[in-house]
Amino acid sequence: MTLTSGQKISEPVPGKMPRHVAIIMDGNGRWAAKRHLPRAAGHRQGVEAVRVIVRAAGDLGIEYLTLYGFSSENWKRPVEEVNDLMGLLRLFIRRDLAELHQNGVHVRVIGDRDHLDADIVAMIDEAEALTAQNDRLKLQIAFNYGGQNEIASAVRRVAREVKAGTLEPSAITPDTIAGFLDTAGIPDPDLIIRTSGEKRLSNFMIWQGAYSELVFSDALWPDFTPECLREAMEEYQRRSRRFGGLDASGQSGKV
Ligand code: IPE
Ligand code: IPE
Ligand code: MG
């Protein structure tokens, strides 16, 4: 199958599949700098990569795809860049929502909406309502998302229940906290990919990623292709996930 961009989509990856793939889409600014273009041009090209990867994810058999689009720390950037990024979320929803819906994509936005412009919140609400019944690919966009804020907000909700007398402190388990996160009901990411060669989480899925496999790609996000995604999934398939136990051959690591 060929995309409108001319890029080939890979066939489904045989073998053990990650149900949930999450991507820290990094490197738009460097992509632009390499071409002596403004950072905004890198972000625009980054949206093109989002469109291609979302389409490819369904074809590769991924059930849940989460894309980190704007962190709670990205407000530290110049106001013009923040505005560009907000504008691109608007553009993405406006331009792609109907097609995503047609293709059975369920869209959900995670992160703090309180400080987003009212029109963006309305667009997010519309996208979520329109696609709520779709189940071919579950797409989470992490926007104004920060793992520490997400956990703090979950703890606030737990504290309120304790205060109201509806929850006993002794009954609080990891599942209680997980149930109050933005990702409640979504399986933890099996695979977290970060592009652009940076090797950190930058406050992404710090709770949910406790046992995620991490794959770092040197590709800058606008250059990340379905083939790069496929390679990351193949790397995932070579990993041995033990969750603190032993693997099938009784080993606790590579020997
Ligand atoms: C990722 O690209 C997009 C966002 C963080 C919003 P960057 O803008 O971080 O690009 P670099 O890291 O400066 O190259
Ligand atoms: C992480 O990238 C956030 C997103 C990809 C949305 P950053 O570029 O903001 O992260 P740092 O500053 O390099 O850690
Ligand atoms: Mg960056």
Side-chain angles (χ1 to χ4, degrees), residues 217-228:
S217 165
D218 285 332
L220 301 173
W221 174 249
D223 293 328
F224 192 82
T225 61
E227 214 36 54
C228 300

Side-chain angles (χ1 to χ4, degrees), residues 20 30 41 49 51 56 96 119 122 146 160 178 183 218 243 246 255:
H20 183 176
R30 278 162 283 166
R51 305 175 81 200
D96 287 35
D119 73 302
R160 267 188 223 119
T183 50
D218 285 332
F243 301 94
L246 303 179
V255 283

Side-chain angles (χ1 to χ4, degrees), residues 86-254:
M86 297 293 154
L88 286 171
L89 178 66
R90 288 186 180 95
L91 178 75
F92 177 67
I93 297 178
R94 204 177 301 126
R95 196 173 58 167
D96 287 35
L97 180 60
E99 191 193 324
L100 291 168
H101 181 44
Q102 265 173 16
N103 290 337
V105 179
H106 173 137
V107 180
R108 180 160 157 175
V109 177
I110 61 171
D112 179 9
R113 296 184 194 183
D114 288 352
H115 299 99
L116 297 178
D117 287 349
D119 73 302
I120 293 189
V121 176
M123 289 175 91
I124 292 172
D125 288 343
E126 185 199 335
E128 290 185 337
L130 179 70
T131 63
Q133 305 308 320
N134 295 343
D135 62 2
R136 178 162 176 263
L137 171 70
K138 302 232 171 40
L139 171 67
Q140 285 70 237
I141 299 172
F143 202 86
N144 193 20
Y145 173 88
Q148 291 180 340
N149 282 341
E150 184 190 31
I151 294 169
S153 135
V155 170
R156 265 196 302 278
R157 291 168 67 184
V158 168
R160 267 188 223 119
E161 292 220 352
V162 169
K163 196 174 170 194
T166 52
L167 181 64
E168 274 297 316
S170 60
I172 299 169
T173 64
D175 282 345
T176 318
I177 307 283
F180 284 115
L181 298 176
D182 293 357
T183 50
I186 296 172
D188 288 341
D190 300 293
L191 168 61
I192 296 179
I193 301 168
R194 183 169 186 148
T195 62
S196 85
E198 303 290 353
K199 294 184 178 63
R200 57 178 167 272
L201 289 173
S202 300
N203 206 6
F204 182 62
M205 296 246 169
I206 53 174
W207 176 282
Q208 300 88 335
Y211 268 102
S212 302
E213 294 297 326
L214 307 181
V215 170
F216 299 101
S217 165
D218 285 332
L220 301 173
W221 174 249
D223 293 328
F224 192 82
T225 61
E227 214 36 54
C228 300
L229 176 58
R230 188 193 174 87
E231 278 166 25
M233 288 166 68
E234 286 171 353
E235 166 69 31
Y236 168 86
Q237 293 183 323
R238 290 191 289 274
R239 303 274 178 91
S240 156
R241 301 186 79 189
R242 293 181 295 275
F243 301 94
L246 303 179
D247 66 17
S249 61
Q251 302 294 342
S252 60
K254 282 209 178 86

